Amino acid sequence: MACHVWRERPVKWLQKRRPTAKPDPAARNTPLAGLRVLELARVLAGPWVGQTLADLGAEVIKIESPEGDGTRQWGPPWVEREDGAREAAYYHACNRGKRSIVADFNDAGDCAGVHHLCEQADVIIENFKPGTLAQWMLDYDSVSYSNPGVIYCSITGFGQDGPRRNEPGYDFVVQAMSGMMSITGEPDGEPMKMGISISDLTCGLYSTIAVQSALLMRERTGRGQHIDMSLLDCSVSLLANQAASYFASGENPARKGNAHAQVVPYGVFEVSDGAVVLAPANDKLFKALMRVLERHDLAEDARLAANEGRIEHRDWLEAEIAREVKEWTKDALLRHCQQAGVPAGPINNLDEVFADPQIQARGMKLDLPGGLSGLRSPFRFSDAEMDVGKPSPRIGQHQDKWDFSS
């Protein structure tokens, strides 16, 4: 159902407001205080943009269908609020600090309310298939007619053009198509995806950069614009040095497990009580590691003086190192590597991550109102604060409380 009469329809839950949002007094020293963001997105990539902007102080209004963002039901595990209400932990990973309003685009009154919000938004984030929002006049061309300064960010699987533009985008599929999986996994094993939704998250981060860049450009030109972000584009962009190697050689990079194609030694090594990562990535660090292991013969071996020689003798050299480190305990080896300046680290489970004194010192885990927890966005500013104290909203939590007349 197209929303053709939105300008004349009464809006019960919304009054038209002035273009610039009044900053929340508690968020005025945040980088994006006063910025109004309308999020017409669900699942992960789009909401990740909204959460990042909210953490930076923007006022983010999440528009949900009557059924709500589907990730609210992606459990277990579940997160219970103090009043017994629960949502999936997944939902809370990417919706902190937002307001929630429910709107049915097929209801003329609700559609009118969303249009009024679009008129007053600085940024709109959406992740519908290309062309879908045009039926409600919520596409960029329609919205920018009444709000020419809007920064409108569309996130899709494959972009607004090309032969796959109308196909849905799923992280797993995009990891496969982008080439990521072909270079991830053991050499004799099957291609592997990453343990996080890297395509969604990367697209969310790139989209955040694009939004902020377009806002800065608007300061110069006074004009908004449409941003076209694709999960596949963003994932292909991460191929980085692997793509450069392919361009230079014409050969497909092989899966190397935890090894590095261009650096030796570099990988996971078994110690007497577990495993560690060793990453001496240059000639100086290689010699430092050999001194830690008291293998001065290897440190002075002319064949191993340069990385190219170490690559040539990879199998033999890594077998020598593996035999040496097997006699060490994890704590002892990591302590000696730290003292020698050799990059090395434990392979932590998540309980170990959040018990790590460095992670605790940096405050990466947030304790939020209502007994909820979350991850802090990793920004640190010398003269600005983050707005990270608000939990994810309940569905429709701000339907009646939001004051749009101020």
Side-chain angles (χ1 to χ4, degrees), residues 383-396:
D383 192 30
E385 300 170 1
M386 298 289 288
D387 188 14
V388 293
K390 301 171 188 155
S392 305
R394 296 175 173 84
I395 183 170

Side-chain angles (χ1 to χ4, degrees), residues 177-228:
M177 292 181 63
S178 68
M180 283 185 183
M181 289 179 62
S182 75
I183 56 176
T184 305
E186 292 299 324
D188 56 352
E190 66 178 3
M192 296 293 292
K193 71 178 182 67
M194 289 194 65
I196 57 174
S197 298
I198 189 65
S199 296
D200 279 312
L201 294 172
T202 298
C203 190
L205 293 175
Y206 271 132
S207 297
T208 302
I209 295 169
V211 165
Q212 293 175 315
S213 299
L215 287 167
L216 183 60
M217 187 172 179
R218 188 176 72 177
E219 291 297 306
R220 299 198 311 270
T221 67
R223 299 190 304 274
Q225 60 184 296
H226 186 203
I227 301 170
D228 173 9

Side-chain angles (χ1 to χ4, degrees), residues 106-405:
N106 290 317
D107 178 273
D110 284 3
C111 192
V114 175
H115 272 281
H116 279 293
L117 280 172
C118 288
E119 282 187 329
Q120 312 307 327
D122 293 291
V123 177
I124 297 174
I125 306 162
E126 64 92 5
N127 65 353
F128 287 77
K129 288 183 183 180
T132 300
L133 288 176
Q135 64 185 300
W136 299 292
M137 296 174 65
L138 290 170
D139 57 308
Y140 174 69
D141 287 343
S142 300
V143 170
S144 63
Y145 181 81
S146 57
N147 184 0
V150 71
I151 307 301
Y152 189 105
C153 182
S154 295
I155 298 175
T156 58
F158 301 99
Q160 300 294 308
D161 53 21
R164 293 184 179 271
R165 67 184 293 270
N166 291 318
E167 295 183 22
Y170 288 88
D171 181 274
F172 193 7
V173 175
V174 171
Q175 285 196 46
M177 292 181 63
S178 68
M180 283 185 183
M181 289 179 62
S182 75
I183 56 176
T184 305
E186 292 299 324
D188 56 352
E190 66 178 3
M192 296 293 292
K193 71 178 182 67
M194 289 194 65
I196 57 174
S197 298
I198 189 65
S199 296
D200 279 312
L201 294 172
T202 298
C203 190
L205 293 175
Y206 271 132
S207 297
T208 302
I209 295 169
V211 165
Q212 293 175 315
S213 299
L215 287 167
L216 183 60
M217 187 172 179
R218 188 176 72 177
E219 291 297 306
R220 299 198 311 270
T221 67
R223 299 190 304 274
Q225 60 184 296
H226 186 203
I227 301 170
D228 173 9
M229 299 299 299
S230 153
L231 267 68
L232 184 61
D233 292 354
C234 293
S235 296
V236 170
S237 77
L238 291 185
L239 295 177
N241 61 298
Q242 295 282 27
S245 295
Y246 166 71
F247 295 149
S249 68
E251 298 179 0
N252 286 315
R255 291 191 299 280
K256 291 187 176 297
N258 289 313
H260 194 293
Q262 284 83 34
V263 179
V264 175
Y266 195 100
V268 174
F269 292 88
E270 295 289 332
V271 292
S272 63
D273 57 349
V276 299
V277 165
L278 299 176
N282 60 40
D283 300 341
K284 180 180 178 181
L285 292 173
F286 168 70
K287 289 186 176 182
L289 176 60
M290 295 306 99
R291 289 193 293 270
V292 167
L293 300 179
E294 297 184 348
R295 287 300 303 266
H296 303 289
D297 58 321
L298 298 178
E300 301 305 323
D301 192 323
R303 297 172 299 170
L304 309 177
N307 185 64
E308 187 173 355
R310 296 194 292 275
I311 290 176
E312 182 181 352
H313 299 284
R314 178 195 295 267
D315 292 344
W316 166 73
L317 174 58
E318 291 189 337
E320 289 291 308
I321 295 172
R323 184 164 57 251
E324 294 294 336
V325 301
K326 189 67 177 176
E327 304 302 317
W328 290 70
T329 65
K330 179 166 59 175
D331 288 346
L333 180 58
L334 292 178
R335 183 173 65 255
H336 279 76
C337 284
Q338 182 183 40
Q339 292 168 353
V342 176
I347 302 172
N348 287 333
N349 294 318
L350 293 198
D351 60 338
E352 295 170 309
V353 171
F354 294 107
D356 188 299
Q358 180 65 28
I359 297 299
Q360 293 181 348
R362 299 292 288 180
M364 286 304 298
K365 179 184 176 184
L366 296 173
D367 295 317
L368 302 169
L372 304 178
S373 299
L375 284 176
R376 179 178 67 79
S377 287
F379 311 112
R380 287 288 189 96
F381 299 96
S382 65
D383 192 30
E385 300 170 1
M386 298 289 288
D387 188 14
V388 293
K390 301 171 188 155
S392 305
R394 296 175 173 84
I395 183 170
Q397 181 177 343
H398 304 91
Q399 200 84 8
D400 301 319
K401 298 178 182 179
W402 195 253
D403 180 8
F404 292 93
S405 61

